[in-house]
Amino acid sequence: MPNRAQQIFEPRFRFGLGGVSLGNEFNKHTDKEAESTLEAAWEVGVRYFDVAPWYGFGLAERRFGRLLHTKNRGEYLLSSKVGKLFKASKNNRHAEIYPLSDSPNDVVFDYTADGVRRSIEDSLQRLGVDSLDIAFVHDISPDFAFFPNGWEEQYETARKGAFPALSKMRDEGMIRAWGIGVNTPLPILKVMEDADPDVCLCARQYSLVDHASAVHELFPAVRKRDISLVIGSSLNAGFISGSSRYNYGKENFKIPAEAIQKREKLRAVAARYGVDLRTAALQFSAAADVAVALLAGARSAQQIEEDWNSLQAKIPPPFWDDLKSEGLIEAGASVPVL
């Protein structure tokens, strides 16, 4: 029997548009640019959308909602995040935390049972829709820099509050599934022991450049517990496709030398086969046997169209063989098949 997440992520929902870019994480985009990107995503066939209150301090949800509230709710899959509440404040911290968002909001971290219910209600209002399919508990992870008292304390609050509350909401039909959305594997390993999630968002952990830990530690545990993963940031925030940043955070311009070296080696193999490296990276992340969906961010109509087309492209099997023989991808990693 397929697990709950596998049942939800039928083939038309296997590729999704993530909301980080349109929350003005990396660059400032106008509402008109965001509308064009979202409309293009819908036109090419994207039917899974992932947002979060955190992205632009409410900005991404409002922008996605302008498109989604006009569509039949049964035609698309929608996930958002919980754990952060936003209130309008004249003394807000958006300039410090999300400077390009122009948000009037301030953030309150709340991983209690009441807090996650409030978070979902607030998201539905910003989005202009009546339900979420999936709720991811957001950023309870060692890499998140803004908790006042450390991620472990927030995780413990979620273990006692958010996790059982979300299981209850799922059983009541308020959401269809839940999990956590994080950038490091440790919290996913922990939540599988502490609760009964259906699907987790594995961001920044499974890319062509960085995937060994996922293959050898995270994926075996996920298979054992029959949990599914949504894979995000397969391009390491654009690094694989040529960006001058690597992943997220204020110091993402400090790119590790080993990442640059590996990208150059990957480019050399791709050049031998005439393969677009961005296309290969997207297909690699989507091919993981535990993955039910791939999320990609996009800042423009052209970018989401290119991402969609990349997933339809054919890559010769010897390309993947060479990557394995040269030690550029792990021997145990799944690769696309024609």
Side-chain angles (χ1 to χ4, degrees):
M1 283 289 292
N3 65 30
R4 185 188 301 267
Q6 290 169 333
Q7 293 171 334
I8 293 171
F9 285 96
E10 59 184 83
R12 65 187 178 134
F13 299 139
R14 294 295 176 90
F15 175 65
L17 175 63
V20 173
S21 290
L22 295 185
N24 290 1
E25 163 84 11
F26 307 118
N27 298 287
K28 197 161 189 172
H29 303 291
T30 65
D31 287 344
K32 187 175 181 180
E33 289 170 331
E35 182 179 359
S36 174
T37 304
L38 288 159
E39 290 285 359
W42 188 270
E43 287 300 314
V44 296
V46 175
R47 293 297 182 270
Y48 173 32
F49 300 89
D50 175 77
V51 286
W54 180 251
Y55 303 156
F57 278 28
L59 178 63
E61 286 187 326
R62 294 198 307 274
R63 286 175 164 174
F64 275 61
R66 289 191 191 108
L67 171 79
L68 297 179
H69 89 276
T70 68
K71 306 299 183 183
N72 184 319
R73 184 63 188 87
E75 291 184 16
Y76 62 88
L77 191 69
L78 177 61
S79 58
S80 192
K81 319 296 192 308
V82 298
K84 299 165 185 171
L85 301 177
F86 291 87
K87 315 183 201 185
S89 168
K90 290 183 178 179
N91 299 313
N92 66 75
R93 297 176 62 199
H94 96 264
E96 173 191 347
I97 301 175
Y98 241 105
L100 301 179
S101 70
D102 293 335
S103 173
N105 295 327
D106 217 350
V107 62
V108 176
F109 302 111
D110 192 339
Y111 292 89
T112 65
D114 289 343
V116 298
R117 280 188 177 270
R118 169 70 184 276
S119 182
I120 291 175
E121 291 167 359
D122 288 353
S123 288
L124 295 179
Q125 288 189 18
R126 283 188 291 265
L127 287 159
V129 300
D130 60 10
S131 62
L132 292 180
D133 294 293
I134 303 145
F136 292 118
V137 183
H138 203 194
D139 279 337
I140 41 175
S141 174
D143 68 300
F144 189 71
F146 298 102
F147 289 139
N149 48 3
W151 81 276
E152 295 93 340
E153 186 170 331
Q154 300 291 350
Y155 181 93
E156 186 62 14
T157 299
R159 186 184 68 81
K160 295 176 181 177
F163 299 168
L166 289 167
S167 291
K168 185 177 181 183
M169 288 183 223
R170 178 191 61 202
D171 296 342
E172 292 171 347
M174 184 176 176
I175 56 175
R176 296 172 66 189
W178 76 272
I180 64 174
V182 291
N183 297 331
T184 64
L186 178 58
I188 298 177
L189 295 171
K190 281 179 63 62
V191 75
M192 290 190 294
E193 298 299 324
D194 293 336
D196 62 341
D198 309 288
V199 57
C200 291
L201 172 54
C202 173
R204 211 188 73 186
Q205 300 168 52
Y206 193 68
S207 73
L208 273 178
V209 167
D210 181 11
H211 60 269
S213 176
V215 169
H216 297 296
E217 299 174 34
L218 180 60
F219 288 6
V222 166
R223 292 186 195 103
K224 185 176 180 181
R225 290 296 302 271
D226 198 24
I227 304 295
S228 297
L229 297 177
V230 171
I231 305 296
S233 198
S234 60
L235 302 177
N236 296 106
F239 169 74
I240 289 177
S241 54
S243 170
S244 57
R245 61 176 177 262
Y246 183 73
N247 295 330
Y248 308 105
K250 290 184 177 180
E251 296 192 338
N252 64 359
F253 61 91
K254 295 181 179 179
I255 303 175
E258 59 269 23
I260 295 173
Q261 292 165 3
K262 186 167 186 180
R263 183 175 64 180
E264 291 308 306
K265 291 178 181 178
L266 289 165
R267 283 174 170 172
V269 179
R272 291 206 301 266
Y273 287 93
V275 169
D276 171 52
L277 188 58
R278 180 181 54 82
T279 292
L282 291 169
Q283 291 197 17
F284 173 77
S285 294
D289 65 299
V290 293
V292 287
L294 175 73
L295 286 172
R299 65 177 183 271
S300 66
Q302 178 181 344
Q303 199 170 61
I304 190 61
E305 289 163 357
E306 289 173 349
D307 288 345
W308 176 269
N309 290 332
S310 284
L311 290 173
Q312 325 308 318
K314 304 298 183 185
I315 294 178
F319 168 76
W320 303 110
D321 295 339
D322 278 10
L323 291 185
K324 287 196 174 185
S325 67
E326 295 187 24
L328 294 173
I329 57 176
E330 297 295 304
S334 301
V335 297
V337 293
L338 291 178

